[in-house]
Amino acid sequence: AMREEIDARRRKLIETVKDQTPIHPAWLATCINQVKSEDAIVISELGAPLAMLNLSKPLSYMGGLLSGGLGFELGAGLGAKLAAPEREVIVTCGDGSYMFGNPVPYHYVARAEGLPTLTVVANNQQWLAVRQSTLDVFPDGHAAKANVMALTELKPSPDYEKVVETCGGRGEKVEGPKQLIPALERSLEAVRAGTPVTLNVQTQARR
């Protein structure tokens, strides 16, 4: 009964957000579910929300490390692909996490060692975790009342999808919800053929 209730809540949420622009993180996870293989490994650091992912095989998810480790997801994605080269590896992360993960060495090693992955940058143009943590502790503080909270905005946003191109990969920007599934399908087709791909997905500022 609890499983059915959770599924009903998920369906209701998806129906509510599926057409929203920028893209809602729940819709991002739903689209990943639709295109990934059943045994795909998903690495997530402030990317696709775990509660919305369909994971039925063992060793299919890594995320939410208690040790923190901002930027761990890129290296973890390479490690997962090295450990299980026959499985798809999908790395989902926020734009701040992507920068902290040191993307140029990540893409360089992927090419040098033949470790193609799909990287999905959930780009909300801010350090959302920093902003939300500040609001959690000081909901009525000065920062909460500011037009732009200091040290949280990441604008103007870089073209993250172009970074992988410097290392022989393919990149694409996704701005609307209807573009997402076709972009994911193209990306996974390229990854399966050995070409790493980065999607720069414009997302809402939601945790």
Side-chain angles (χ1 to χ4, degrees):
M2 183 178 290
R3 179 76 257 176
E4 290 175 2
E5 183 179 343
I6 291 171
D7 288 343
R9 287 181 185 174
R10 285 176 58 174
R11 285 193 298 271
K12 185 176 180 180
L13 175 60
I14 292 163
E15 191 60 33
T16 302
V17 305
K18 67 179 183 177
D19 296 317
Q20 293 179 4
T21 301
I23 294 165
H24 194 287
W27 181 242
L28 171 60
T30 300
C31 292
I32 289 172
N33 289 335
Q34 292 185 45
V35 300
K36 73 177 183 66
S37 61
E38 189 179 8
D39 69 342
I41 300 170
V42 179
I43 314 290
S44 186
E45 182 180 337
L46 305 174
L50 174 59
M52 301 302 294
L53 290 169
N54 293 336
L55 303 168
S56 60
K57 298 294 183 183
L59 304 176
S60 292
Y61 179 82
M62 183 184 297
L65 300 180
L66 294 176
S67 60
L70 184 60
F72 88 92
E73 79 289 343
L74 301 187
L78 294 179
K81 189 64 179 177
L82 190 63
E86 74 288 352
R87 296 173 68 179
E88 293 172 8
V89 174
I90 302 171
V91 177
T92 75
C93 58
D95 46 331
S97 299
Y98 180 71
M99 287 197 283
F100 251 87
N102 216 348
V104 172
Y106 164 64
H107 296 304
Y108 163 76
V109 171
R111 176 167 65 174
E113 301 299 329
L115 301 170
T117 62
L118 169 57
T119 306
V120 180
V121 180
N123 182 3
N124 54 37
Q125 300 184 46
Q126 63 182 290
W127 299 105
L128 182 60
V130 175
R131 176 182 172 81
Q132 193 59 54
S133 296
T134 302
L135 293 175
D136 288 346
V137 178
F138 301 108
D140 300 315
H142 178 73
K145 297 170 184 170
N147 289 330
V148 176
M149 186 183 290
L151 305 177
T152 61
E153 192 172 85
L154 293 175
K155 296 178 182 178
S157 181
D159 293 326
Y160 298 111
E161 74 279 6
K162 294 182 179 178
V163 180
V164 70
E165 294 175 0
T166 68
C167 295
R170 194 175 69 75
E172 187 175 341
K173 182 180 286 186
V174 182
E175 297 181 291
K178 289 182 171 55
Q179 299 174 326
L180 191 49
I181 287 180
L184 286 165
E185 289 175 338
R186 286 191 296 272
S187 299
L188 283 175
E189 185 177 352
V191 169
R192 290 163 187 154
T195 300
V197 179
T198 296
L199 291 182
N200 179 8
V201 181
Q202 309 303 289
T203 58
Q204 297 178 28
R206 293 182 177 272
R207 185 161 62 172

